Amino acid sequence: MSSIPVREGRRFQLILIKPSHYDDDGYVIRWWRAMIPSNSLAALYGIALDCAEREALGPGIAIDITVIDETNTRVDVEALCEKLQRQGGFGLVALVGVQSNQYPRALDIARPFRTAGFPVAIGGFHVSGCLSMLDGQAVELDACREMGIAMFAGEAEGRLDAVLRDAAAGQLAPLYDFMNDLPSIEGAPPPFLPKQYVSQTLGLSSSFDAGRGCPYQCSFCTIINVQGRKSRFRTADDVEQLVRLNWAQGIHKFFITDDNFARNKEWEPIFDRLIELREKDGIPLGLMIQVDTLCHKIENFVEKAKRAGVTRVFIGLENVNPDNLAAAKKRQNKITEYRKMLLAWKAQGIITLAGYILGFPADTPETIRRDIAIIQEELPLDIIEFFVLTPLPGSEDHQTLWRKGEAMDLDLNIYDVEHVCAAHPKMSKDEWEAIYREAWALYYTPRHMRTLIRRAVATGVPVASLVKVLVSFATTVPLENVHPLQGGLLRLKHPSERRPEMPREHALVFWPRFAGQTVIKHLRLAGTIVRLTATALWIARDPATRRYMDRALTPVDEEGDASLELFTKTTGGQASVTHMKKVARLTGAGRAA
């Protein structure tokens, strides 16, 4: 190892920045309180803290760690440069967890640091996905090479030491590629953020990954090509450690970011440990997890999730058309299981959220409108998160189009699953983007939200929690023109944070307009909150609501369900029912039921 020049009192400055990205007007999306905590920041901070405690740069060399999540904190480049300059440039600016839509903003953040001569590194799904699936030159990676930004592909457990040493010695390599050597995360430093950073998210919630990797082959997914198809897991001991670390600073809500916690082979030991922490140690855990549509078939999974503290579950529903699911290699999704699965979560009083992708090959505006109506009437689902099918760099879909030379939008900023980036066989770009925006209004109608509240009261779902989520998902797109997952409370803007290629607005134009827009949006938001709260109180006080029943809440009857529009109107629905009946006959499941 090369020696690191040190003088007395010199402290290595590690600045971890999770970039946001630009909205349609070119301004950084930033909030007073952001919606989603960044697991990338938590993971990197935990690893960096371990490096500091071990004195990875050598005896007596301190590492100061600065954390900035740009979705809730302004990146003050001038102040950060001064901090680095006071230590003679002894440090590293690390842009972490950078997704494709955040890559242009990440480069804009990096540019002044590189101009000042400070070392910068970038990692995350964009760099890792491109190096995994493309030729290493594609999708603007050369911009890093031209600016002298070190690229990091893979995961940082056990690897950050080397990067810090190289930065300290002024010898950062152009590329650190660990894509073919993904580390074990068992016993690794746990994801962790001090409370001062966690408090800048709504609900004072943090995040961690209990496992990485996914065995499935969905063509639109980047996770399988970045984190691999072989799953790796933290142990129950690891999870208990990170829970206790957070509980010691008053944090007990977590988003478990595993792409599919139901396929984590350690799910039961982890749930059992979390149950013990709740029921014996009195830690009031509140969890959100992500699962697949077959999780209810795992014995005790749903029941133990409830006892472990799961209050919300995100399900990769993706679509109700079997032919669309097959086209995306999402064959593990069986629409014949959707109602069973959702009713299983309903029976535990857990809020269900589902991802729903618009723009599969068979989709048209008419079929999307039809399918949303079917979901409203026939599936006991609370929240839908709509996404535009996007060929994300690092996915098989992107690789296929890239190899064929098919046209894709060159602006990575819009690869945010809200904008159209490639052609569709049945819809124009304008039609596709219009139906995406319309979908939110179609699902979150006042009438359907009243229905959702009635279902919540009848099934024991916490109504106040549901109303909070409904407010966010019903208003963020029309008011803020961003996806609810990119949302937050009180949008913040600054004229200096506009994309460099767009004109800087004069302060006398920018600030009055921004103030006026903020007042109008919050008056509309307040109106929605008042109406939904009043509606929920009225419904909850009606004794008849406890006995409420509709088609979606009706217990599964496979013969009766066969007549549902879910199966009779969707593409491939009847074939799914026929296949289900055939399997039941051959296995005797029908007689057992």
Side-chain angles (χ1 to χ4, degrees), residues 347-359:
Q348 299 297 327
I350 293 173
I351 295 175
T352 53
L353 304 92
Y356 198 86
I357 298 175
L358 307 177

Side-chain angles (χ1 to χ4, degrees), residues 305-327:
K306 173 68 173 182
R307 290 182 61 197
V310 172
T311 60
R312 301 179 188 178
V313 57
F314 176 87
I315 303 148
L317 203 71
E318 316 306 11
N319 212 263
V320 295
N321 291 312
D323 287 356
N324 279 342
L325 295 168

Side-chain angles (χ1 to χ4, degrees), residues 298-313:
I298 303 172
E299 186 176 2
N300 294 325
F301 182 85
V302 175
E303 293 79 7
K304 286 198 172 185
K306 173 68 173 182
R307 290 182 61 197
V310 172
T311 60
R312 301 179 188 178
V313 57

Side-chain angles (χ1 to χ4, degrees), residues 293-294 296-297 320 322 325 332-341 379 556-558 561-562 564 566-567 572-581 583:
T293 60
L294 298 177
H296 63 295
K297 299 174 82 70
V320 295
L325 295 168
Q332 67 271 24
N333 277 25
K334 312 295 182 187
I335 68 168
T336 51
E337 295 290 336
Y338 282 5
R339 287 203 345 104
K340 295 177 187 175
M341 177 267 302
L379 291 182
V556 173
D557 174 359
E558 292 182 357
D561 279 10
L564 292 174
L566 177 66
F567 304 119
Q574 284 287 9
S576 294
V577 173
T578 300
H579 178 71
M580 175 189 70
K581 290 181 176 179
V583 171

Side-chain angles (χ1 to χ4, degrees), residues 66-209:
T66 300
V67 174
I68 299 173
D69 183 344
E70 198 182 24
T71 64
N72 55 51
T73 303
R74 186 180 172 199
V75 179
D76 189 338
V77 173
E78 183 176 348
L80 294 171
C81 283
E82 290 176 0
K83 177 180 288 193
L84 287 163
Q85 192 60 57
R86 284 195 296 270
Q87 300 299 324
F90 191 54
L92 173 67
V93 177
L95 299 158
V96 306
V98 179
Q99 302 168 11
S100 293
N101 68 89
Q102 298 160 347
Y103 186 69
R105 175 58 183 167
L107 295 180
D108 291 340
I109 292 172
R111 193 167 289 109
F113 290 109
R114 290 301 301 133
T115 299
F118 300 125
V120 178
I122 183 171
F125 269 71
H126 183 71
V127 170
S128 297
C130 291
L131 291 174
S132 171
M133 299 295 283
L134 305 176
D135 65 3
Q137 306 294 126
V139 200
E140 297 190 26
L141 293 188
D142 278 340
C144 287
R145 299 180 178 99
E146 292 164 4
M147 290 172 60
I149 300 171
M151 292 182 287
F152 186 98
E155 298 169 8
E157 284 83 1
R159 283 72 186 265
L160 185 59
D161 294 45
V163 178
L164 297 181
R165 289 170 186 151
D166 287 354
Q171 298 174 356
L172 267 184
L175 174 63
Y176 297 86
D177 188 352
F178 300 104
M179 287 305 298
N180 295 321
D181 185 21
L182 297 176
S184 168
I185 58 174
E186 180 178 343
F192 177 75
L193 282 175
K195 188 175 182 177
Q196 68 187 89
Y197 304 115
V198 180
S199 63
Q200 293 170 309
T201 59
L202 287 171
L204 193 64
S205 62
S206 192
S207 63
F208 66 88
D209 48 2

Side-chain angles (χ1 to χ4, degrees), residues 17-23 26-35 68-76 105 109 200 480 482 486-498 510-511 514 518 521-522:
I17 301 175
K18 179 69 167 75
S20 181
H21 82 124
Y22 298 108
D23 64 18
Y27 288 100
V28 170
I29 299 172
R30 184 163 53 85
W31 308 87
W32 175 65
R33 292 290 182 268
M35 173 75 75
I68 299 173
D69 183 344
E70 198 182 24
T71 64
N72 55 51
T73 303
R74 186 180 172 199
V75 179
D76 189 338
R105 175 58 183 167
I109 292 172
Q200 293 170 309
E480 300 287 357
V482 299
Q486 293 191 68
L489 181 61
L490 185 58
R491 176 70 190 273
L492 301 177
K493 290 184 181 181
H494 195 277
S496 67
E497 294 177 327
R498 201 173 201 191
F510 175 86
W511 289 114
F514 176 58
T518 299
K521 286 188 290 190
H522 283 81

Side-chain angles (χ1 to χ4, degrees), residues 359-404:
F360 284 116
D363 282 342
T364 67
E366 293 74 22
T367 64
I368 290 170
R369 295 185 187 104
R370 177 203 68 198
D371 293 346
I372 291 173
I374 290 172
I375 292 169
Q376 289 175 313
E377 295 298 318
E378 298 181 353
L379 291 182
L381 177 65
D382 296 315
I383 303 296
I384 288 188
E385 304 175 13
F386 294 104
F387 303 98
V388 171
L389 182 64
T390 304
L392 295 170
S395 69
E396 181 185 337
D397 285 350
H398 182 278
Q399 183 189 59
T400 299
L401 293 176
W402 178 77
R403 284 177 172 171
K404 290 181 178 179

